[in-house]
Amino acid sequence: MSTKGYYGRMLEVDLTAMSSKVTMIPDEDIKKFIGGRGLGTKILFDRLKPGTDPLSPENILMFMSGPFSGLPIPSSSRTCVVTKSPRTSPLSPQFKSGSTVSYSNMGGFFGPELRFAGYDALLITGKAEKPVYIRIHNDRVTIEDAGEYWGMGTDSFDKTFHREVGEGRWESCYIGPAGENLVPMACIINTAARAAGRGGTGCVMGSKNLKAVVVKGNKMPNIARLENYNDLLEKVRQSFMKKDEGVMSWRYGGTTDALASSSRAGTQAVKNYSEGTFGEIEKIGTEANRKEIWKRDFACYACQLACKKSGYAKGAYNVQVHDSPEYETGTMLGANLLISDLNGLHRLIELADDLGIDIISVGNTTGFLMEAYERGDIDREFLDGIDLTWGNVEATIELMHKISKREGIGEPASKGVKELAGIIGKGSDQYAIHVKGHELAAWNIPVNSDSWAVCYATSNRGACHMNGGNARRQDSACLRDSLGACSFASSWYRGELQYQNFLKAITGLEWSDEEFNRAGERIFNLEKMFNYREGFRREDDFIPEKFFVNKFTFGEHAGAIVDRAKFQENMDSYYEGRGWHKDTSRPTDETLGRLGLSFTI
Amino acid sequence: MSNKISHQGVSRRHFLSSLGFGTAGMVLLGSYGFVIRRDHSTGTVRAIAVNFDECAGCRTCEAVCSAYNHMESVNGRMVNGIGNPALSNIRVYHYNPDIDIPSTCALCNDAPCVEACPVDPDPETGYRALYRDPELLTITNDRERCIGCGSCADACRELRAGIIRSNPEIGNPEHMCTLCGGDPQCVKYCPFDALSYVVMDDDRNLDGLSPRKLAAKMIEKLYNIRVTETQL
């Protein structure tokens, strides 16, 4: 008998042996690591030998639901993909393949459906001889030939597969050509748009010759205190259904609203992070999209915010828009490349999704190459003849195709800016905007640098904008990602409606606020210990040199720059607050003991 | 109102008592032996109408439908169940190009499902094993007399939206809308006001209710993309 609210069941598929089995999750791990990101990291830590090649059959690709997944708790349907990253590396490698944990979160319906099929988690190891997909219908698990789908873009796959799979409502996630071709920055897509975008999840999936996972089920786990749960659910629904400004603003603009507001605040990645404000942001912002493109708002399972926007973009390119531009995609392929052609931007986003490439990393990498080209650190020959100038949509399209095939310039570019800077030299590492090999996202550092610099430098998957700028926020993010809750809706879960009260009703277990928060801290520390074991040290918790030497020249925040001494000071106090050694960044034995992580020592 | 609609025996008693008290409704005898009560104040049939322009595909309707119609006993009290969407009577189908189509029982005026039922009408009530509940006009199954032949599900799939599905074990029809005893939960909780509980026109068009057909129409309307049903 497992903890209530869970099945305690994991489906493990071995693609080398072409077999599957169900294993049980220890109750103790559920209480300590909750699910999703936390439980995934625990499994990764327990099972992977240090230095395991992330693209080897030994690496585990995990689709983790959380205890909220599949329950109609508003905005709590997220699925966390956990694996060992093919993107990251330490400055001083101890292993040939030392890399961080990778966790990447996607919305939609996949995690809930995995739970309806009777599993809390899906673990995939091994490597199939030929392209396959995994089909899960409750207890019936089969590994099917995916030869006819191999090479398909994610949009075509989504359309074709769901027509052919037959009656009923299957949920799926899949890779595009980039993942098949082992592009390190490949992602996993569902519903032709939603992505487990970051950390090379699609590359790991491709390395297993796995095109897709499809799932359908009709079960639900039991809840311990149903009346209590129903009461909380009713209250949180009513609080969303007031349709206050917060709810209506998510529906109207989604994260796209942040394009304009972040630009005004000087916190946007513009021109490869040289600026924080983009003068032409209105051309790709909410109003322009409402007027020209968007036709409909879409929600994830049981979500009331509906931040995903679909439409149709006409112009030089005719584009069926599945989700764009949201803040990250609009910034990374728009502002960061000085692209303000709305139709062109939609084409780029659609193409990246269709190829299955992480838009944050590909936008960042393209910006880096544009800067290198402008500076003369590389020439047109280096770029296979592509005239990669700022704002150039056609050139960006061409580069993206090459990246997806790892052809010519696409081969080093597919590995991101750290790799490229190593090849180019000439001090280009100063403007290669990554941490631990993972590219920064769309939030620029210098304005609000106290928070953003710490956020990026200390993220356990390499640079990540969702990490949080201090320990408390980071621990909260760990908890949300482990429950399956969406960060966009977190402000509705306060007071009586805070997450731990739902968790208590679902599991029947007691959680003091302190215990609950400690679980978040425990998860973050376990990730840190995974990375430490892989050879990451304090020197790896950096921010790129550009932020200390480049001053913004444009907008209200002209002159903004990061103070080097202040950054180191903030990092020192961060480590102290965490109970980590300042010289190595390793959590102290005392900290690990306090968190029940002595097994990592 | 309590959840009596799903309990066939209760609703039959209720029907008989409503006749006895001579309620305001005018009682019509249908041509197939089942009874429709026409209420002057409400029209013929009230059912769930979908505004396809507003649905965002969140499937909250499925969760609340299931929770209300599949209650659980906690310490002797019946409370809303966990809300397993597989048990829901309303279902949302999603398609690419992006559109979500909520699909639920239309309480069709001519009810081809009831017409397809081969069970002889009960001499006392005039009901086949599938019949219209006299109070809410919902399509109701008499489990005791149902032979599980699946004719009603076939009729619904071939002629209407394919709402009725046979129970995989005993074959009796499931997923007909109960209207939750007159307070449809899907309407009450739809975050996007895409569902409403309204009086249906007597001559409403009941063709083209299949989710695929509706999706093709909506895709053309929204995105100006022409797709055939088979392409979805």
Side-chain angles (χ1 to χ4, degrees):
Chain A
M1 192 64 194
S2 178
T3 305
K4 284 272 170 58
Y6 296 78
Y7 300 102
R9 283 158 48 96
M10 302 193 287
L11 176 61
E12 299 199 33
V13 178
D14 179 342
L15 290 176
T16 302
M18 297 290 270
S19 65
S20 68
K21 64 181 176 186
V22 173
T23 55
M24 299 307 288
I25 307 168
D27 273 343
E28 191 200 341
D29 282 358
I30 286 176
K31 175 90 195 194
K32 283 175 76 176
F33 301 98
I34 297 174
R37 176 176 161 187
L39 191 57
T41 304
K42 174 65 166 49
I43 295 164
L44 208 66
F45 191 95
D46 285 347
R47 297 197 189 183
L48 280 198
K49 280 191 202 130
T52 300
D53 177 354
L55 302 187
S56 68
E58 287 72 37
N59 194 11
I60 316 170
L61 180 67
M62 292 180 245
F63 293 86
M64 305 296 299
S65 73
F68 288 6
S69 302
L71 297 178
I73 301 170
S75 312
S76 298
S77 65
R78 297 189 72 83
T79 313
C80 200
V81 179
V82 183
T83 191
K84 185 169 188 269
S85 179
R87 294 301 331 276
T88 49
S89 54
L91 291 173
S92 311
Q94 294 176 19
F95 303 98
K96 187 167 162 285
S97 300
S99 72
T100 62
V101 62
S102 188
Y103 50 86
S104 194
N105 217 285
M106 59 185 182
F109 303 83
F110 185 85
E113 202 67 35
L114 186 63
R115 292 257 286 177
F116 300 151
Y119 310 99
D120 297 310
L122 167 64
L123 276 56
I124 300 160
T125 54
K127 179 185 179 180
E129 274 180 33
K130 288 184 296 189
V132 295
Y133 72 90
I134 298 171
R135 179 186 172 114
I136 303 163
H137 186 189
N138 292 318
D139 292 332
R140 287 203 300 282
V141 180
T142 53
I143 301 166
E144 311 276 353
D145 179 32
E148 63 178 306
Y149 302 116
W150 205 249
M152 265 187 194
T154 61
D155 183 53
S156 307
F157 178 84
D158 189 71
K159 286 174 170 145
T160 312
F161 185 82
H162 283 269
R163 190 166 59 227
E164 290 175 359
V165 73
E167 280 297 305
R169 300 181 299 173
W170 294 83
E171 297 299 340
S172 61
C173 58
Y174 32 83
I175 56 172
E180 297 171 8
N181 297 333
L182 305 184
V183 167
M185 59 175 72
C187 63
I188 297 171
I189 297 265
N190 77 67
T191 57
R194 297 179 174 103
R198 307 238 61 205
T201 57
C203 184
V204 174
M205 191 152 160
S207 76
K208 302 193 173 305
N209 262 331
L210 180 61
K211 178 70 178 177
V213 181
V214 302
V215 60
K216 184 166 87 165
N218 58 9
K219 303 174 203 171
M220 290 277 270
N222 293 318
I223 281 183
R225 300 174 192 156
L226 187 57
E227 281 184 293
N228 180 200
Y229 163 79
N230 281 342
D231 178 49
L232 292 167
L233 187 58
E234 177 67 16
K235 283 177 177 153
V236 79
R237 276 183 181 146
Q238 293 305 335
S239 120
F240 278 97
M241 286 175 77
K242 282 182 205 147
K243 296 186 185 164
D244 57 17
E245 206 184 326
V247 170
M248 296 321 280
S249 140
W250 276 107
R251 290 186 188 178
Y252 185 76
T255 65
T256 316
D257 282 353
L259 285 170
S261 62
S262 172
S263 202
R264 270 196 305 279
T267 51
Q268 186 160 42
V270 179
K271 207 182 178 194
N272 195 32
Y273 301 82
S274 296
E275 302 290 346
T277 301
F278 184 35
E280 299 184 18
I281 199 68
E282 300 295 344
K283 291 187 182 174
I284 58 172
T286 302
E287 296 309 326
N289 281 287
R290 272 273 161 227
K291 192 163 161 256
E292 307 275 339
I293 314 287
W294 293 344
K295 299 291 182 199
R296 200 173 162 105
D297 312 332
F298 286 90
C300 295
Y301 187 74
C303 175
Q304 308 217 4
L305 302 180
C307 69
K308 175 179 172 307
K309 314 294 173 199
S310 295
Y312 200 84
K314 280 199 167 128
Y317 315 96
N318 286 323
V319 184
Q320 188 195 322
V321 175
H322 286 301
D323 178 19
S324 75
E326 35 94 41
Y327 178 68
E328 290 296 325
T329 59
T331 298
M332 297 313 294
L333 290 173
N336 193 46
L337 310 183
L338 302 188
I339 287 173
S340 61
D341 163 12
L342 186 58
N343 183 243
L345 173 62
H346 277 288
R347 169 64 183 144
L348 291 172
I349 295 169
E350 177 225 25
L351 180 63
D353 281 347
D354 199 43
L355 296 169
I357 303 178
D358 170 17
I359 289 179
I360 293 175
S361 282
V362 81
N364 181 312
T365 300
T366 306
F368 167 82
L369 286 171
M370 284 177 172
E371 180 164 351
Y373 187 47
E374 183 185 55
R375 285 170 179 263
D377 290 343
I378 55 173
D379 57 15
R380 202 159 162 173
E381 197 187 337
F382 183 91
L383 294 167
D384 297 338
I386 302 174
D387 188 25
L388 197 64
T389 49
W390 294 111
N392 192 331
V393 173
E394 272 300 314
T396 306
I397 290 174
E398 219 177 317
L399 177 67
M400 219 187 281
H401 277 296
K402 280 180 177 286
I403 287 174
S404 75
K405 295 179 204 151
R406 291 168 59 201
E407 178 188 283
I409 176 65
E411 166 61 19
S414 75
K415 294 177 178 160
V417 297
K418 182 180 179 184
E419 174 82 8
L420 282 168
I423 295 168
I424 295 167
K426 302 176 184 168
S428 60
D429 59 328
Q430 296 216 352
Y431 56 90
I433 310 300
H434 72 92
V435 178
K436 304 179 178 70
H438 199 225
E439 288 77 15
L440 268 72
W443 296 91
N444 212 334
I445 294 182
V447 177
N448 306 333
S449 65
D450 286 348
S451 168
W452 281 113
V454 172
C455 170
Y456 283 124
T458 60
S459 167
N460 287 324
R461 66 175 182 185
C464 163
H465 64 292
M466 301 299 288
N467 185 46
N470 59 49
R472 189 181 53 81
R473 284 175 177 271
Q474 294 174 350
D475 297 346
S476 300
C478 284
L479 289 167
R480 279 196 303 271
D481 293 349
S482 301
L483 292 166
C486 177
S487 66
F488 297 168
S490 59
S491 60
W492 280 271
Y493 292 88
R494 296 271 186 261
E496 187 194 355
L497 299 177
Q498 56 193 329
Y499 295 130
Q500 55 266 48
N501 290 343
F502 280 88
L503 192 61
K504 280 189 266 191
I506 292 166
T507 60
L509 300 175
E510 284 310 316
W511 297 85
S512 67
D513 289 354
E514 193 196 341
E515 265 180 312
F516 186 66
N517 294 332
R518 198 186 303 139
E521 188 184 358
R522 180 181 302 122
I523 291 162
F524 198 87
N525 275 266
L526 179 61
E527 291 172 344
K528 181 74 186 175
M529 285 307 288
F530 181 94
N531 294 348
Y532 189 85
R533 194 171 72 175
E534 292 284 325
F536 290 84
R537 298 293 180 266
R538 173 161 181 168
E539 62 181 7
D540 295 297
D541 292 355
F542 60 83
I543 59 168
E545 186 65 14
K546 181 182 232 177
F547 296 107
F548 303 123
V549 297
N550 173 78
K551 275 186 187 167
F552 288 172
T553 65
F554 180 76
E556 280 177 41
H557 297 273
I561 191 166
V562 182
D563 183 299
R564 197 185 302 267
K566 186 76 196 306
F567 170 65
Q568 290 307 337
E569 212 176 282
N570 285 341
M571 290 297 284
D572 279 348
S573 59
Y574 171 85
Y575 295 126
E576 270 168 34
R578 276 266 180 222
W580 294 359
H581 293 287
K582 273 194 283 187
D583 48 345
T584 62
S585 80
R586 181 185 179 281
T588 63
D589 287 354
E590 192 198 336
T591 299
L592 294 170
R594 178 175 62 80
L595 295 171
L597 293 174
S598 298
F599 66 90
T600 63
I601 298 171
Chain B
M1 201 173 281
S2 74
N3 186 24
K4 64 176 176 247
I5 297 308
S6 59
H7 305 293
Q8 169 272 325
V10 176
S11 55
R12 186 186 302 177
R13 273 199 303 280
H14 190 91
F15 166 70
L16 294 172
S17 68
S18 75
L19 277 181
F21 287 115
T23 55
M26 182 168 71
V27 177
L28 299 176
L29 194 62
S31 57
Y32 304 110
F34 60 90
V35 177
I36 296 178
R37 188 184 68 169
R38 172 170 283 181
D39 186 317
H40 292 301
S41 61
T42 57
T44 305
V45 174
R46 294 186 79 200
I48 310 300
V50 182
N51 182 345
F52 295 103
D53 284 321
E54 297 300 329
C55 174
C58 70
R59 297 170 63 188
T60 298
C61 52
E62 297 182 16
V64 297
C65 172
S66 170
Y68 184 88
N69 288 294
H70 298 272
M71 294 200 175
E72 291 177 30
S73 170
V74 175
N75 302 326
R77 277 190 304 279
M78 293 305 284
V79 303
N80 276 357
I82 190 169
N84 183 346
L87 302 176
S88 172
N89 300 328
I90 188 168
R91 274 193 155 196
V92 182
Y93 293 86
H94 49 235
Y95 296 95
N96 179 356
D98 305 334
I99 189 73
D100 288 287
I101 303 291
S103 184
T104 190
C105 178
L107 277 70
C108 307
N109 299 50
D110 58 349
C113 51
V114 174
E115 195 182 339
C117 181
V119 175
D120 287 338
D122 182 307
E124 190 185 337
T125 62
Y127 293 163
R128 302 177 184 206
L130 199 66
Y131 64 98
R132 254 184 214 280
D133 175 85
E135 176 74 7
L136 287 162
L137 310 183
T138 51
I139 308 297
T140 311
N141 180 224
D142 181 342
R143 284 200 190 189
E144 285 162 31
R145 294 167 60 228
C146 178
I147 57 172
C149 67
S151 302
C152 50
D154 292 346
C156 185
R157 190 176 55 252
E158 283 160 26
L159 300 170
R160 299 295 148 81
I163 300 297
I164 299 180
R165 297 188 296 285
S166 300
N167 181 294
E169 278 153 32
I170 56 173
N172 66 305
E174 292 178 335
H175 304 294
M176 296 81 71
C177 179
T178 68
L179 294 174
C180 302
D183 183 19
Q185 301 293 294
C186 56
V187 174
K188 187 171 167 185
Y189 286 99
C190 175
F192 301 94
D193 301 323
L195 302 172
S196 46
Y197 181 37
V198 293
V199 176
M200 295 290 171
D201 291 339
D202 281 349
D203 60 350
R204 67 190 155 136
N205 182 7
L206 292 166
D207 296 328
L209 287 179
S210 90
R212 273 174 212 273
K213 278 187 187 160
L214 290 164
K217 272 188 205 163
M218 284 304 296
I219 287 164
E220 183 166 3
K221 181 184 167 191
L222 285 182
Y223 308 120
N224 205 18
I225 299 173
R226 273 175 187 270
V227 286
T228 63
E229 225 182 302
T230 49
Q231 286 172 311
L232 289 172

